[in-house]
Amino acid sequence: MPLTFINRLTSNLPVADDPQLYDVNLLDCPDGWFGGAWQVRTRSLGPPTIFSQAAELHLHPNPARLELLDQARHQHSGHWAVERDPILKRPYLTLEAAGEQTRALITRLRRSSQGQYASLTLYLQSGTELILDLLPTP
């Protein structure tokens, strides 16, 4: 059975630790679902960078603009884009802010059925893993 078929079957099953969120198949996910205002819930620290020290990432579409708040609540602006691995189609975020650039593999996206709640897991080039929660829209 191909892996993409298995992912499609499991993408509609509730996540055990939070029955309101569902795993999304990243191979078929629209790039727009990665945008939004995200707050860092947890991090595993690698070397200190502007991205590993972030408190919030605001990924604005059209044009793709990034606003980053660090832990001291300083705001940094930049750009972001979604790239897909040419062979496996895994999604990556390319991020640039405050003179730094990085690439982050998107390892997990979980969303509620209506999309108002979401969680995004990023694995940065530096080795830092960030788990982000979608901030509520005002």
Side-chain angles (χ1 to χ4, degrees):
M1 183 180 311
L3 181 60
T4 55
F5 181 69
I6 293 169
N7 285 342
R8 284 191 185 111
L9 286 176
T10 60
S11 66
N12 292 325
L13 298 175
V15 177
D17 60 344
D18 189 348
Q20 294 180 335
L21 296 180
Y22 298 86
D23 278 318
V24 173
N25 180 355
L26 295 172
L27 302 178
D28 296 329
C29 172
D31 292 350
W33 284 10
F34 304 125
W38 300 92
Q39 179 176 357
V40 175
R41 178 176 11 129
T42 60
R43 75 184 81 239
S44 63
L45 289 180
T49 68
I50 191 75
F51 301 105
S52 67
Q53 301 298 314
E56 292 181 15
L57 292 170
H58 297 253
L59 305 174
H60 303 282
N62 302 324
R65 216 170 24 89
L66 165 68
E67 290 177 21
L68 181 142
L69 291 175
D70 63 22
Q71 293 174 347
R73 306 305 290 175
H74 297 117
Q75 185 172 336
H76 307 276
S77 296
H79 303 281
W80 70 283
V82 176
E83 294 180 358
R84 299 241 176 209
D85 179 283
I87 296 171
L88 300 176
K89 304 297 183 212
R90 293 176 301 194
Y92 289 84
L93 288 180
T94 56
L95 305 166
E96 180 272 319
E100 292 186 32
Q101 294 181 345
T102 195
R103 192 169 183 218
L105 174 63
I106 300 170
T107 59
R108 188 177 205 185
L109 175 64
R110 301 179 343 170
R111 287 174 46 109
S112 62
S113 58
Q114 300 299 316
Q116 70 271 36
Y117 303 103
S119 174
L120 182 67
T121 304
L122 303 177
Y123 188 74
L124 305 176
Q125 266 180 320
S126 65
T128 300
E129 182 180 62
L130 299 176
I131 299 176
L132 311 171
D133 290 327
L134 189 64
L135 289 168
T137 53

